[in-house]
Amino acid sequence: MIIVLEHLIHTQEKNDIKNFLERKGFKVKEIIGEQETIFGAVGMVSIDPREVEILPGVKRVIPISSPYKLASREFQKEDTVITVGPIKIGGSRLVVIAGPCAIESRDHIDFMAAMLRETGAVILRGGAYKPRTSPYAFQGLGEEGLQYLKEAGEKYGMPTVSEIVSPEHAALMKDYIDIFQIGTRNMQNFELLKKVGSLQKPVLLKRGFASTIQELLMSAEYLLAHGADNIILCERGIRTFETATRNTLDLSAIPVVKKLSHLPIIVDPSHATGIREKVPPMALAAVAAGAHGITVEVHSDPEKALSDGPQALYPEQFEKLMRDIEALAPVLQKEIARLPVEDETKGLTNKTAGITLAIKKPAVAFQGERGSFSEKAIQLYFHDEVFPLARQEFRDVFNSVLEGSAYYGMIPLENSLAGSIHQNYDLLLEFPDIKIIGEKKIRIVHNLIGIKGAALKDIKRVYSHPQGLAQCARFLEGHPQWEKISYYDTAGSVTHVAEVGKKENAAIASAEAAAINNLEILKESIETNPQNYTRFVVIVRDDHSDIPQPNKASLVFATLDKPGALYDALKILADFSLNMTKLESRPIPGKPWEYMFYVDIQLPEDLSVFDNALKKLKLHSEELRILGSYRV
Ligand code: PEP
Ligand code: MN
């Protein structure tokens, strides 16, 4: 039964409701959701819902129709997001767990962890207790193996997962690993589920090879009912009449589970297929089907593996798989979970294309080439304290920040003439673990740039980003004979002119780009409107985004579909005396005629005012996301 509480319920009323339910024999769990606060009450008792409905502070009572309660979508509408060390699992993130089937030796798991981390895996797997079909097969290194796994995990900053096979091992294992795995053979070992649930650590629960999805969710319910909150479900193939693969991978379980439950679901293509060459296509299919991640077996020398060698990927195969996942993720609007580089906070090293540069400054990623306006924003914001790192696409800037090759990113968010740069707003929504922590407005001054000795009369062709050409339209109209050529980047167009080295070519870009390329400014400030400003923002990983006294916040929200919804939302901000400095609507991609709103708010000294306004705003919006709270 779900008990939805009144929005402004008193703590005393809340306690009274909880005590009442507990007296009746229910286990009660409180969930503070995006939209509302609820109590979930489960137990082997029946009660007339009206008895609860009449209690002060109760808004309504909803019976849960499915046999699993706490695991059901009815109980919790929003996706569960699980935090394990620096990694979040669930929502729009894609997590890659990898490692050998079994921990074989200290050196081996160390070697594997180093290689997997470098390739992009974020959680390290390895069995210490192996439930083998044959009693004569390798049974695992036990506690010694757990010790090696822990050492490797700590050394490379990777959370770890390992299988528990007996309730007796629980106490020993809990200090060695970050996530308990419950294997396919034990999915319905209810004593094990109860014990592991009570430890309140994250659990990776694999589907029994002869179990239905409902049975999987009932097992998750066991864990939840005994205290675990953080459960990751795993589809790993089921037994069918088919013998061409070890099991049959039931990919349809992904959308089915996502509809029925709020828990994240990942896929194990290794145990599903049992054959190395079948693993990458099934891993990609799992990602395409909406899985929140994959867990794969990888071995440095599969022929010599102590267990499951035939299904272990060679390191090169895993690398190729990671590259394919990286190409696929953006299509599905997924963010690939990344580990931060270990010394990121000090910013002492920057890794670029696999080369570690010993630069004693934190890197700031930006889109474009040296001399671009983004780089200028970096200089003005950070002065000389950082190392600007050029990236080709805006998405690359986000990925660099997430994986730690850059500590910060600098991205343009809006231009005073052309409006918002929607691509970057979309990326901020797509990368929930990236937040804004600062901003810099700069004036955009365009110059006509040519090679040394060139004059206006020599020019036949002008290169620039389409925005650059458009913003200098009036000047260009005065030279109708010039050919205007679009280039991907203003600074890049200058490099091009420098490389070709002909007097007849010119570019439109910043003075800095001219200086870097040793070219000459033929005409300064040729932009049509001198009131041309671009607002850049500084982005970081969410875990580094806390700043002491922010005075501005940026949010995005979508209103409920009802009359006056926007008015209601804005009235909340007005009631809390919050000053909006920006309000803009745009269509929600993929949902014709539905709109979301970008809002910037000036924050008051007392931040609790903002927190309370947000709580209320959440109730009045379909979706609400804080892009960052920062200081300007
Ligand atoms: C494993 O992941 O090592 C394993 C034994 O998996 P499963 O329980 O799915 O067979
Ligand atoms: Mn295995």
Side-chain angles (χ1 to χ4, degrees), residues 100-102 125-127 129-132 163 181-186 204 206-207 209 234 236-237 246-247 268 271-272 295 297 307-308 311:
C101 180
R125 61 147 288 147
Y129 300 94
K130 296 304 306 173
R132 306 301 297 277
E163 179 169 355
Q181 177 169 315
I182 304 233
T184 196
R185 295 160 191 82
N186 275 313
L204 175 57
K206 297 186 106 179
R207 178 177 176 185
F209 57 74
C234 179
R236 48 79 69 204
R246 185 171 171 183
N247 291 284
D268 174 351
H271 293 88
T295 173
E297 289 188 347
S307 66
D308 281 348
Q311 71 195 32

PDB file of all heavy atoms in Angstrom, residues 100-102 125-127 129-132 163 181-186 204 206-207 209 234 236-237 246-247 268 271-272 295 297 307-308 311, ligand 1:
ATOM      1  N   PRO A 100      37.814 -10.359 -14.846  1.00  0.00           N
ATOM      2  CA  PRO A 100      37.847 -11.789 -15.128  1.00  0.00           C
ATOM      3  C   PRO A 100      36.704 -12.494 -14.397  1.00  0.00           C
ATOM      4  O   PRO A 100      36.128 -11.928 -13.473  1.00  0.00           O
ATOM      5  CB  PRO A 100      39.201 -12.216 -14.561  1.00  0.00           C
ATOM      6  CG  PRO A 100      39.490 -11.215 -13.477  1.00  0.00           C
ATOM      7  CD  PRO A 100      38.863  -9.920 -13.908  1.00  0.00           C
ATOM      8  N   CYS A 101      36.407 -13.711 -14.818  1.00  0.00           N
ATOM      9  CA  CYS A 101      35.379 -14.492 -14.129  1.00  0.00           C
ATOM     10  C   CYS A 101      35.799 -14.648 -12.671  1.00  0.00           C
ATOM     11  O   CYS A 101      35.049 -14.322 -11.770  1.00  0.00           O
ATOM     12  CB  CYS A 101      35.234 -15.852 -14.808  1.00  0.00           C
ATOM     13  SG  CYS A 101      33.994 -16.887 -14.024  1.00  0.00           S
ATOM     14  N   ALA A 102      37.037 -15.116 -12.477  1.00  0.00           N
ATOM     15  CA  ALA A 102      37.514 -15.363 -11.110  1.00  0.00           C
ATOM     16  C   ALA A 102      38.772 -14.541 -10.847  1.00  0.00           C
ATOM     17  O   ALA A 102      39.543 -14.253 -11.765  1.00  0.00           O
ATOM     18  CB  ALA A 102      37.829 -16.841 -10.937  1.00  0.00           C
ATOM     19  N   ARG A 125      35.044  -6.398 -11.626  1.00  0.00           N
ATOM     20  CA  ARG A 125      34.396  -7.616 -11.143  1.00  0.00           C
ATOM     21  C   ARG A 125      35.430  -8.734 -10.995  1.00  0.00           C
ATOM     22  O   ARG A 125      36.512  -8.688 -11.609  1.00  0.00           O
ATOM     23  CB  ARG A 125      33.267  -8.068 -12.064  1.00  0.00           C
ATOM     24  CG  ARG A 125      33.664  -8.413 -13.487  1.00  0.00           C
ATOM     25  CD  ARG A 125      32.807  -9.543 -14.064  1.00  0.00           C
ATOM     26  NE  ARG A 125      33.144 -10.823 -13.453  1.00  0.00           N
ATOM     27  CZ  ARG A 125      32.282 -11.803 -13.243  1.00  0.00           C
ATOM     28  NH1 ARG A 125      31.022 -11.672 -13.576  1.00  0.00           N
ATOM     29  NH2 ARG A 125      32.685 -12.933 -12.702  1.00  0.00           N
ATOM     30  N   GLY A 126      35.093  -9.737 -10.216  1.00  0.00           N
ATOM     31  CA  GLY A 126      35.950 -10.907 -10.072  1.00  0.00           C
ATOM     32  C   GLY A 126      35.376 -11.775  -8.966  1.00  0.00           C
ATOM     33  O   GLY A 126      35.016 -11.273  -7.900  1.00  0.00           O
ATOM     34  N   GLY A 127      35.272 -13.077  -9.233  1.00  0.00           N
ATOM     35  CA  GLY A 127      34.695 -13.987  -8.241  1.00  0.00           C
ATOM     36  C   GLY A 127      35.770 -14.551  -7.320  1.00  0.00           C
ATOM     37  O   GLY A 127      36.864 -14.909  -7.759  1.00  0.00           O
ATOM     38  N   TYR A 129      34.455 -16.682  -4.693  1.00  0.00           N
ATOM     39  CA  TYR A 129      33.751 -17.938  -4.397  1.00  0.00           C
ATOM     40  C   TYR A 129      32.991 -18.286  -5.665  1.00  0.00           C
ATOM     41  O   TYR A 129      32.052 -17.587  -6.040  1.00  0.00           O
ATOM     42  CB  TYR A 129      32.785 -17.748  -3.232  1.00  0.00           C
ATOM     43  CG  TYR A 129      33.479 -17.323  -1.956  1.00  0.00           C
ATOM     44  CD1 TYR A 129      33.590 -15.968  -1.628  1.00  0.00           C
ATOM     45  CD2 TYR A 129      34.044 -18.266  -1.095  1.00  0.00           C
ATOM     46  CE1 TYR A 129      34.249 -15.560  -0.474  1.00  0.00           C
ATOM     47  CE2 TYR A 129      34.706 -17.870   0.065  1.00  0.00           C
ATOM     48  CZ  TYR A 129      34.801 -16.514   0.369  1.00  0.00           C
ATOM     49  OH  TYR A 129      35.450 -16.107   1.502  1.00  0.00           O
ATOM     50  N   LYS A 130      33.430 -19.331  -6.363  1.00  0.00           N
ATOM     51  CA  LYS A 130      32.833 -19.631  -7.660  1.00  0.00           C
ATOM     52  C   LYS A 130      31.852 -20.795  -7.545  1.00  0.00           C
ATOM     53  O   LYS A 130      32.242 -21.906  -7.173  1.00  0.00           O
ATOM     54  CB  LYS A 130      33.928 -20.010  -8.678  1.00  0.00           C
ATOM     55  CG  LYS A 130      34.911 -18.902  -9.015  1.00  0.00           C
ATOM     56  CD  LYS A 130      34.262 -17.626  -9.539  1.00  0.00           C
ATOM     57  CE  LYS A 130      33.351 -17.796 -10.720  1.00  0.00           C
ATOM     58  NZ  LYS A 130      32.646 -16.517 -11.025  1.00  0.00           N
ATOM     59  N   PRO A 131      30.588 -20.550  -7.835  1.00  0.00           N
ATOM     60  CA  PRO A 131      29.615 -21.643  -7.815  1.00  0.00           C
ATOM     61  C   PRO A 131      29.739 -22.457  -9.105  1.00  0.00           C
ATOM     62  O   PRO A 131      29.107 -22.145 -10.102  1.00  0.00           O
ATOM     63  CB  PRO A 131      28.274 -20.902  -7.749  1.00  0.00           C
ATOM     64  CG  PRO A 131      28.540 -19.563  -8.372  1.00  0.00           C
ATOM     65  CD  PRO A 131      30.002 -19.283  -8.284  1.00  0.00           C
ATOM     66  N   ARG A 132      30.603 -23.476  -9.126  1.00  0.00           N
ATOM     67  CA  ARG A 132      30.871 -24.216 -10.359  1.00  0.00           C
ATOM     68  C   ARG A 132      29.976 -25.437 -10.470  1.00  0.00           C
ATOM     69  O   ARG A 132      29.659 -26.090  -9.474  1.00  0.00           O
ATOM     70  CB  ARG A 132      32.341 -24.649 -10.407  1.00  0.00           C
ATOM     71  CG  ARG A 132      33.350 -23.529 -10.217  1.00  0.00           C
ATOM     72  CD  ARG A 132      33.227 -22.424 -11.269  1.00  0.00           C
ATOM     73  NE  ARG A 132      33.488 -22.882 -12.609  1.00  0.00           N
ATOM     74  CZ  ARG A 132      34.700 -23.014 -13.140  1.00  0.00           C
ATOM     75  NH1 ARG A 132      35.763 -22.675 -12.435  1.00  0.00           N
ATOM     76  NH2 ARG A 132      34.862 -23.446 -14.373  1.00  0.00           N
ATOM     77  N   GLU A 163      30.788 -12.109  -6.093  1.00  0.00           N
ATOM     78  CA  GLU A 163      29.604 -12.923  -5.777  1.00  0.00           C
ATOM     79  C   GLU A 163      29.666 -13.525  -4.379  1.00  0.00           C
ATOM     80  O   GLU A 163      30.702 -14.031  -3.948  1.00  0.00           O
ATOM     81  CB  GLU A 163      29.471 -14.051  -6.820  1.00  0.00           C
ATOM     82  CG  GLU A 163      28.279 -14.947  -6.525  1.00  0.00           C
ATOM     83  CD  GLU A 163      27.942 -15.921  -7.650  1.00  0.00           C
ATOM     84  OE1 GLU A 163      28.570 -15.864  -8.710  1.00  0.00           O
ATOM     85  OE2 GLU A 163      27.033 -16.744  -7.422  1.00  0.00           O
ATOM     86  N   GLN A 181      27.313  -9.453  -5.359  1.00  0.00           N
ATOM     87  CA  GLN A 181      26.612 -10.061  -6.491  1.00  0.00           C
ATOM     88  C   GLN A 181      25.902 -11.317  -6.000  1.00  0.00           C
ATOM     89  O   GLN A 181      26.480 -12.111  -5.259  1.00  0.00           O
ATOM     90  CB  GLN A 181      27.614 -10.426  -7.587  1.00  0.00           C
ATOM     91  CG  GLN A 181      26.975 -11.123  -8.776  1.00  0.00           C
ATOM     92  CD  GLN A 181      27.941 -11.225  -9.952  1.00  0.00           C
ATOM     93  OE1 GLN A 181      28.620 -10.269 -10.297  1.00  0.00           O
ATOM     94  NE2 GLN A 181      28.006 -12.389 -10.560  1.00  0.00           N
ATOM     95  N   ILE A 182      24.628 -11.446  -6.419  1.00  0.00           N
ATOM     96  CA  ILE A 182      23.913 -12.704  -6.153  1.00  0.00           C
ATOM     97  C   ILE A 182      23.798 -13.379  -7.506  1.00  0.00           C
ATOM     98  O   ILE A 182      23.241 -12.804  -8.452  1.00  0.00           O
ATOM     99  CB  ILE A 182      22.526 -12.435  -5.546  1.00  0.00           C
ATOM    100  CG1 ILE A 182      22.705 -11.589  -4.287  1.00  0.00           C
ATOM    101  CG2 ILE A 182      21.760 -13.744  -5.340  1.00  0.00           C
ATOM    102  CD1 ILE A 182      22.114 -12.016  -3.028  1.00  0.00           C
ATOM    103  N   GLY A 183      24.342 -14.566  -7.623  1.00  0.00           N
ATOM    104  CA  GLY A 183      24.419 -15.247  -8.908  1.00  0.00           C
ATOM    105  C   GLY A 183      23.118 -15.913  -9.297  1.00  0.00           C
ATOM    106  O   GLY A 183      22.183 -16.022  -8.502  1.00  0.00           O
ATOM    107  N   THR A 184      23.111 -16.339 -10.545  1.00  0.00           N
ATOM    108  CA  THR A 184      21.897 -16.923 -11.117  1.00  0.00           C
ATOM    109  C   THR A 184      21.398 -18.117 -10.297  1.00  0.00           C
ATOM    110  O   THR A 184      20.209 -18.304 -10.119  1.00  0.00           O
ATOM    111  CB  THR A 184      22.192 -17.325 -12.581  1.00  0.00           C
ATOM    112  OG1 THR A 184      20.982 -17.549 -13.248  1.00  0.00           O
ATOM    113  CG2 THR A 184      23.093 -18.553 -12.705  1.00  0.00           C
ATOM    114  N   ARG A 185      22.353 -18.928  -9.799  1.00  0.00           N
ATOM    115  CA  ARG A 185      21.945 -20.144  -9.079  1.00  0.00           C
ATOM    116  C   ARG A 185      21.359 -19.825  -7.719  1.00  0.00           C
ATOM    117  O   ARG A 185      20.708 -20.660  -7.111  1.00  0.00           O
ATOM    118  CB  ARG A 185      23.145 -21.082  -8.936  1.00  0.00           C
ATOM    119  CG  ARG A 185      23.631 -21.607 -10.270  1.00  0.00           C
ATOM    120  CD  ARG A 185      25.056 -22.124 -10.181  1.00  0.00           C
ATOM    121  NE  ARG A 185      25.587 -22.386 -11.520  1.00  0.00           N
ATOM    122  CZ  ARG A 185      26.090 -21.443 -12.307  1.00  0.00           C
ATOM    123  NH1 ARG A 185      26.137 -20.182 -11.911  1.00  0.00           N
ATOM    124  NH2 ARG A 185      26.528 -21.741 -13.505  1.00  0.00           N
ATOM    125  N   ASN A 186      21.626 -18.644  -7.227  1.00  0.00           N
ATOM    126  CA  ASN A 186      21.173 -18.282  -5.879  1.00  0.00           C
ATOM    127  C   ASN A 186      20.057 -17.243  -5.861  1.00  0.00           C
ATOM    128  O   ASN A 186      19.709 -16.742  -4.800  1.00  0.00           O
ATOM    129  CB  ASN A 186      22.361 -17.745  -5.071  1.00  0.00           C
ATOM    130  CG  ASN A 186      23.142 -18.878  -4.434  1.00  0.00           C
ATOM    131  OD1 ASN A 186      22.557 -19.782  -3.832  1.00  0.00           O
ATOM    132  ND2 ASN A 186      24.448 -18.863  -4.596  1.00  0.00           N
ATOM    133  N   LEU A 204      24.041  -6.554  -6.783  1.00  0.00           N
ATOM    134  CA  LEU A 204      23.818  -6.870  -8.201  1.00  0.00           C
ATOM    135  C   LEU A 204      23.110  -8.218  -8.223  1.00  0.00           C
ATOM    136  O   LEU A 204      23.711  -9.242  -7.898  1.00  0.00           O
ATOM    137  CB  LEU A 204      25.170  -6.935  -8.915  1.00  0.00           C
ATOM    138  CG  LEU A 204      25.184  -7.374 -10.378  1.00  0.00           C
ATOM    139  CD1 LEU A 204      24.294  -6.479 -11.220  1.00  0.00           C
ATOM    140  CD2 LEU A 204      26.597  -7.309 -10.927  1.00  0.00           C
ATOM    141  N   LYS A 206      21.369 -11.161 -10.090  1.00  0.00           N
ATOM    142  CA  LYS A 206      21.252 -11.759 -11.420  1.00  0.00           C
ATOM    143  C   LYS A 206      19.995 -12.600 -11.525  1.00  0.00           C
ATOM    144  O   LYS A 206      19.570 -13.224 -10.548  1.00  0.00           O
ATOM    145  CB  LYS A 206      22.504 -12.581 -11.708  1.00  0.00           C
ATOM    146  CG  LYS A 206      23.751 -11.706 -11.741  1.00  0.00           C
ATOM    147  CD  LYS A 206      24.968 -12.459 -12.162  1.00  0.00           C
ATOM    148  CE  LYS A 206      25.359 -12.075 -13.571  1.00  0.00           C
ATOM    149  NZ  LYS A 206      26.574 -12.791 -14.009  1.00  0.00           N
ATOM    150  N   ARG A 207      19.419 -12.600 -12.714  1.00  0.00           N
ATOM    151  CA  ARG A 207      18.190 -13.360 -12.921  1.00  0.00           C
ATOM    152  C   ARG A 207      18.513 -14.847 -12.932  1.00  0.00           C
ATOM    153  O   ARG A 207      19.477 -15.278 -13.566  1.00  0.00           O
ATOM    154  CB  ARG A 207      17.589 -12.942 -14.261  1.00  0.00           C
ATOM    155  CG  ARG A 207      16.324 -13.700 -14.620  1.00  0.00           C
ATOM    156  CD  ARG A 207      15.760 -13.167 -15.920  1.00  0.00           C
ATOM    157  NE  ARG A 207      14.616 -13.922 -16.357  1.00  0.00           N
ATOM    158  CZ  ARG A 207      13.989 -13.719 -17.505  1.00  0.00           C
ATOM    159  NH1 ARG A 207      14.423 -12.754 -18.316  1.00  0.00           N
ATOM    160  NH2 ARG A 207      12.950 -14.442 -17.852  1.00  0.00           N
ATOM    161  N   PHE A 209      18.511 -18.608 -14.060  1.00  0.00           N
ATOM    162  CA  PHE A 209      18.472 -19.052 -15.466  1.00  0.00           C
ATOM    163  C   PHE A 209      17.169 -19.750 -15.827  1.00  0.00           C
ATOM    164  O   PHE A 209      16.889 -19.989 -16.980  1.00  0.00           O
ATOM    165  CB  PHE A 209      19.709 -19.894 -15.828  1.00  0.00           C
ATOM    166  CG  PHE A 209      19.910 -21.111 -14.967  1.00  0.00           C
ATOM    167  CD1 PHE A 209      19.111 -22.230 -15.107  1.00  0.00           C
ATOM    168  CD2 PHE A 209      20.928 -21.122 -14.024  1.00  0.00           C
ATOM    169  CE1 PHE A 209      19.312 -23.341 -14.314  1.00  0.00           C
ATOM    170  CE2 PHE A 209      21.130 -22.237 -13.229  1.00  0.00           C
ATOM    171  CZ  PHE A 209      20.314 -23.354 -13.363  1.00  0.00           C
ATOM    172  N   CYS A 234      20.045  -7.776 -13.098  1.00  0.00           N
ATOM    173  CA  CYS A 234      20.911  -8.171 -14.209  1.00  0.00           C
ATOM    174  C   CYS A 234      20.290  -9.322 -14.993  1.00  0.00           C
ATOM    175  O   CYS A 234      20.024 -10.387 -14.437  1.00  0.00           O
ATOM    176  CB  CYS A 234      22.284  -8.573 -13.668  1.00  0.00           C
ATOM    177  SG  CYS A 234      23.420  -9.098 -14.966  1.00  0.00           S
ATOM    178  N   ARG A 236      20.968 -12.164 -17.534  1.00  0.00           N
ATOM    179  CA  ARG A 236      22.189 -12.891 -17.906  1.00  0.00           C
ATOM    180  C   ARG A 236      21.881 -14.152 -18.711  1.00  0.00           C
ATOM    181  O   ARG A 236      22.695 -15.050 -18.813  1.00  0.00           O
ATOM    182  CB  ARG A 236      23.023 -13.215 -16.667  1.00  0.00           C
ATOM    183  CG  ARG A 236      22.286 -13.817 -15.537  1.00  0.00           C
ATOM    184  CD  ARG A 236      22.001 -15.302 -15.672  1.00  0.00           C
ATOM    185  NE  ARG A 236      23.226 -16.084 -15.576  1.00  0.00           N
ATOM    186  CZ  ARG A 236      23.366 -17.301 -16.101  1.00  0.00           C
ATOM    187  NH1 ARG A 236      22.368 -17.884 -16.754  1.00  0.00           N
ATOM    188  NH2 ARG A 236      24.499 -17.949 -15.962  1.00  0.00           N
ATOM    189  N   GLY A 237      20.672 -14.176 -19.326  1.00  0.00           N
ATOM    190  CA  GLY A 237      20.345 -15.330 -20.160  1.00  0.00           C
ATOM    191  C   GLY A 237      19.596 -16.380 -19.379  1.00  0.00           C
ATOM    192  O   GLY A 237      19.839 -16.596 -18.198  1.00  0.00           O
ATOM    193  N   ARG A 246      25.215 -20.637 -24.728  1.00  0.00           N
ATOM    194  CA  ARG A 246      25.141 -21.238 -23.387  1.00  0.00           C
ATOM    195  C   ARG A 246      23.748 -21.052 -22.775  1.00  0.00           C
ATOM    196  O   ARG A 246      23.177 -21.929 -22.158  1.00  0.00           O
ATOM    197  CB  ARG A 246      26.203 -20.556 -22.516  1.00  0.00           C
ATOM    198  CG  ARG A 246      26.368 -21.124 -21.140  1.00  0.00           C
ATOM    199  CD  ARG A 246      27.603 -20.492 -20.477  1.00  0.00           C
ATOM    200  NE  ARG A 246      27.690 -20.838 -19.074  1.00  0.00           N
ATOM    201  CZ  ARG A 246      28.624 -20.380 -18.250  1.00  0.00           C
ATOM    202  NH1 ARG A 246      29.551 -19.545 -18.688  1.00  0.00           N
ATOM    203  NH2 ARG A 246      28.644 -20.734 -16.992  1.00  0.00           N
ATOM    204  N   ASN A 247      23.222 -19.841 -22.941  1.00  0.00           N
ATOM    205  CA  ASN A 247      21.853 -19.526 -22.512  1.00  0.00           C
ATOM    206  C   ASN A 247      21.217 -18.693 -23.619  1.00  0.00           C
ATOM    207  O   ASN A 247      21.879 -18.373 -24.600  1.00  0.00           O
ATOM    208  CB  ASN A 247      21.882 -18.720 -21.218  1.00  0.00           C
ATOM    209  CG  ASN A 247      22.365 -19.541 -20.029  1.00  0.00           C
ATOM    210  OD1 ASN A 247      21.632 -20.363 -19.506  1.00  0.00           O
ATOM    211  ND2 ASN A 247      23.617 -19.339 -19.639  1.00  0.00           N
ATOM    212  N   ASP A 268      24.393  -9.041 -18.746  1.00  0.00           N
ATOM    213  CA  ASP A 268      25.645  -9.806 -18.770  1.00  0.00           C
ATOM    214  C   ASP A 268      25.650 -10.649 -20.045  1.00  0.00           C
ATOM    215  O   ASP A 268      25.070 -11.731 -20.088  1.00  0.00           O
ATOM    216  CB  ASP A 268      25.704 -10.701 -17.524  1.00  0.00           C
ATOM    217  CG  ASP A 268      26.904 -11.631 -17.550  1.00  0.00           C
ATOM    218  OD1 ASP A 268      27.595 -11.724 -18.585  1.00  0.00           O
ATOM    219  OD2 ASP A 268      27.143 -12.289 -16.520  1.00  0.00           O
ATOM    220  N   HIS A 271      27.909 -14.473 -19.684  1.00  0.00           N
ATOM    221  CA  HIS A 271      27.291 -15.719 -19.237  1.00  0.00           C
ATOM    222  C   HIS A 271      26.081 -16.066 -20.096  1.00  0.00           C
ATOM    223  O   HIS A 271      25.688 -17.219 -20.188  1.00  0.00           O
ATOM    224  CB  HIS A 271      26.928 -15.641 -17.751  1.00  0.00           C
ATOM    225  CG  HIS A 271      28.148 -15.578 -16.882  1.00  0.00           C
ATOM    226  ND1 HIS A 271      28.742 -14.379 -16.556  1.00  0.00           N
ATOM    227  CD2 HIS A 271      28.920 -16.555 -16.337  1.00  0.00           C
ATOM    228  CE1 HIS A 271      29.817 -14.622 -15.817  1.00  0.00           C
ATOM    229  NE2 HIS A 271      29.953 -15.926 -15.674  1.00  0.00           N
ATOM    230  N   ALA A 272      25.486 -15.057 -20.731  1.00  0.00           N
ATOM    231  CA  ALA A 272      24.319 -15.321 -21.574  1.00  0.00           C
ATOM    232  C   ALA A 272      24.704 -16.150 -22.790  1.00  0.00           C
ATOM    233  O   ALA A 272      24.024 -17.121 -23.127  1.00  0.00           O
ATOM    234  CB  ALA A 272      23.699 -14.005 -22.013  1.00  0.00           C
ATOM    235  N   THR A 295      27.824  -5.984 -17.802  1.00  0.00           N
ATOM    236  CA  THR A 295      28.932  -6.572 -17.065  1.00  0.00           C
ATOM    237  C   THR A 295      29.532  -7.642 -17.963  1.00  0.00           C
ATOM    238  O   THR A 295      28.815  -8.504 -18.469  1.00  0.00           O
ATOM    239  CB  THR A 295      28.510  -7.102 -15.677  1.00  0.00           C
ATOM    240  OG1 THR A 295      29.621  -7.801 -15.111  1.00  0.00           O
ATOM    241  CG2 THR A 295      27.297  -8.019 -15.714  1.00  0.00           C
ATOM    242  N   GLU A 297      32.972 -10.292 -18.984  1.00  0.00           N
ATOM    243  CA  GLU A 297      34.200 -10.952 -18.552  1.00  0.00           C
ATOM    244  C   GLU A 297      35.300 -10.688 -19.575  1.00  0.00           C
ATOM    245  O   GLU A 297      35.103 -10.844 -20.788  1.00  0.00           O
ATOM    246  CB  GLU A 297      33.947 -12.449 -18.364  1.00  0.00           C
ATOM    247  CG  GLU A 297      33.082 -12.684 -17.136  1.00  0.00           C
ATOM    248  CD  GLU A 297      32.907 -14.133 -16.721  1.00  0.00           C
ATOM    249  OE1 GLU A 297      33.253 -15.048 -17.499  1.00  0.00           O
ATOM    250  OE2 GLU A 297      32.383 -14.340 -15.609  1.00  0.00           O
ATOM    251  N   SER A 307      38.594 -20.056 -15.090  1.00  0.00           N
ATOM    252  CA  SER A 307      37.184 -20.379 -15.318  1.00  0.00           C
ATOM    253  C   SER A 307      36.638 -19.488 -16.427  1.00  0.00           C
ATOM    254  O   SER A 307      37.090 -18.348 -16.601  1.00  0.00           O
ATOM    255  CB  SER A 307      36.356 -20.231 -14.039  1.00  0.00           C
ATOM    256  OG  SER A 307      36.314 -18.905 -13.627  1.00  0.00           O
ATOM    257  N   ASP A 308      35.672 -20.038 -17.148  1.00  0.00           N
ATOM    258  CA  ASP A 308      34.949 -19.304 -18.210  1.00  0.00           C
ATOM    259  C   ASP A 308      35.849 -18.662 -19.274  1.00  0.00           C
ATOM    260  O   ASP A 308      35.470 -17.617 -19.846  1.00  0.00           O
ATOM    261  CB  ASP A 308      34.030 -18.243 -17.582  1.00  0.00           C
ATOM    262  CG  ASP A 308      32.735 -18.857 -17.038  1.00  0.00           C
ATOM    263  OD1 ASP A 308      32.460 -20.044 -17.346  1.00  0.00           O
ATOM    264  OD2 ASP A 308      32.005 -18.152 -16.321  1.00  0.00           O
ATOM    265  N   GLN A 311      34.422 -17.590 -22.892  1.00  0.00           N
ATOM    266  CA  GLN A 311      33.552 -16.415 -23.055  1.00  0.00           C
ATOM    267  C   GLN A 311      34.270 -15.111 -22.707  1.00  0.00           C
ATOM    268  O   GLN A 311      33.697 -14.024 -22.861  1.00  0.00           O
ATOM    269  CB  GLN A 311      32.284 -16.562 -22.201  1.00  0.00           C
ATOM    270  CG  GLN A 311      32.520 -16.436 -20.702  1.00  0.00           C
ATOM    271  CD  GLN A 311      31.341 -16.934 -19.892  1.00  0.00           C
ATOM    272  OE1 GLN A 311      30.631 -17.859 -20.302  1.00  0.00           O
ATOM    273  NE2 GLN A 311      31.090 -16.327 -18.748  1.00  0.00           N
TER     274      GLN A 311
HETATM  275  C1  PEP B   1      29.540 -14.623 -12.607  1.00  0.00           C
HETATM  276  O1  PEP B   1      29.136 -13.503 -12.899  1.00  0.00           O
HETATM  277  O2  PEP B   1      30.710 -14.855 -12.329  1.00  0.00           O
HETATM  278  C2  PEP B   1      28.580 -15.745 -12.633  1.00  0.00           C
HETATM  279  C3  PEP B   1      28.877 -16.914 -12.119  1.00  0.00           C
HETATM  280  O3  PEP B   1      27.412 -15.406 -13.225  1.00  0.00           O
HETATM  281  P1  PEP B   1      26.006 -16.181 -13.234  1.00  0.00           P
HETATM  282  O4  PEP B   1      25.597 -16.284 -11.804  1.00  0.00           O
HETATM  283  O5  PEP B   1      25.127 -15.297 -14.045  1.00  0.00           O
HETATM  284  O6  PEP B   1      26.237 -17.509 -13.883  1.00  0.00           O
END
